Amino acid sequence: NDVRISFNDIVVKACAVALTRHQAINSSWHDDVIMEHGDVNIAIAVAIDEGLMTPVINHVDKKGLSQISAETRELAGLARDRKLQPDQMEGSTFTISNLGMFGILEFTSIINQPNSAILSIGTIVEKPVVTNGEIVVGNTMKITLAYDHRTVDGATGAQFLQTVKQYKENPVTMLA
């Protein structure tokens, strides 16, 4: 059984590992108190005709890319077939929304409560980039982080995005 790892799977893993390094992002605002979560449970936004479903992959930081890939495909399929169970959409600590497959360059998602943040992923675009002083064709992708300022400040959000960027540009570093 061949497992195909998608770029989305790499981003999910990059976020999971980054969330272990930036606990403020993996938190919730509850009764005027910030609750930092020990578990990393990532909801994946799945578009269906009636709106949006957010199945949750639990303990993503402890899973490999092939397991993340298999669970994402299974949960997204259940969501599209309207067979997702309520408990499969509970307990998220962070959400990812990817509209890249629709050709959307960039967008800002609305935070999936009670999460403190949501990452929006745009499409991958080939364009000229400068590498070692030379102009070459490279792949670029825009990601946007929306976060609750009661739990996350701008500098913390920027540091998290830097970590995600480093991991997605060099995935081997997040597997070490």
Side-chain angles (χ1 to χ4, degrees):
N1 189 11
D2 288 339
V3 176
R4 279 195 33 221
I5 305 298
S6 70
F7 194 74
N8 193 69
D9 299 329
I10 293 169
V11 172
V12 170
K13 180 65 176 179
C15 286
V17 178
L19 287 166
T20 65
R21 292 185 48 195
H22 303 278
Q23 275 294 308
I25 308 291
N26 198 47
S27 68
S28 298
W29 181 256
H30 184 71
D31 291 334
D32 296 333
V33 176
I34 298 172
M35 294 178 56
E36 288 188 355
H37 303 291
D39 294 333
V40 176
N41 303 325
I42 297 181
I44 307 295
V46 177
I48 59 170
D49 291 341
E50 298 82 16
L52 198 65
M53 298 190 90
T54 53
V56 178
I57 303 169
N58 292 305
H59 311 288
V60 187
D61 56 316
K62 296 176 174 64
K63 295 179 179 175
L65 284 169
S66 59
Q67 191 174 0
I68 291 168
S69 178
E71 285 189 43
T72 300
R73 284 179 190 7
E74 178 187 352
L75 289 168
L78 289 171
R80 283 190 283 276
D81 294 341
R82 317 301 190 271
K83 294 181 179 172
L84 208 56
Q85 298 301 308
D87 66 326
Q88 293 174 304
M89 294 183 287
E90 294 173 354
S92 69
T93 62
F94 184 78
T95 303
I96 297 173
S97 181
N98 185 345
L99 294 180
M101 67 287 288
F102 298 110
I104 304 301
L105 294 177
E106 64 183 303
F107 64 105
T108 304
S109 300
I110 296 172
I111 300 167
N112 182 26
Q113 296 295 329
N115 299 176
S116 283
I118 185 168
L119 188 79
S120 307
I121 304 170
T123 195
I124 297 172
V125 177
E126 268 192 341
K127 66 184 217 178
V129 296
V130 178
T131 303
N132 298 325
E134 300 287 323
I135 297 175
V136 297
V137 176
N139 292 317
T140 64
M141 178 184 80
K142 293 191 178 181
I143 60 175
T144 306
L145 183 69
Y147 47 89
D148 185 337
H149 279 274
R150 295 174 299 178
T151 55
V152 180
D153 63 35
T156 302
Q159 291 163 352
F160 173 78
L161 284 173
Q162 277 183 318
T163 302
V164 170
K165 179 180 184 289
Q166 289 166 355
Y167 287 149
K168 73 178 184 58
E169 289 177 353
N170 191 1
V172 171
T173 61
M174 70 182 168
L175 304 175

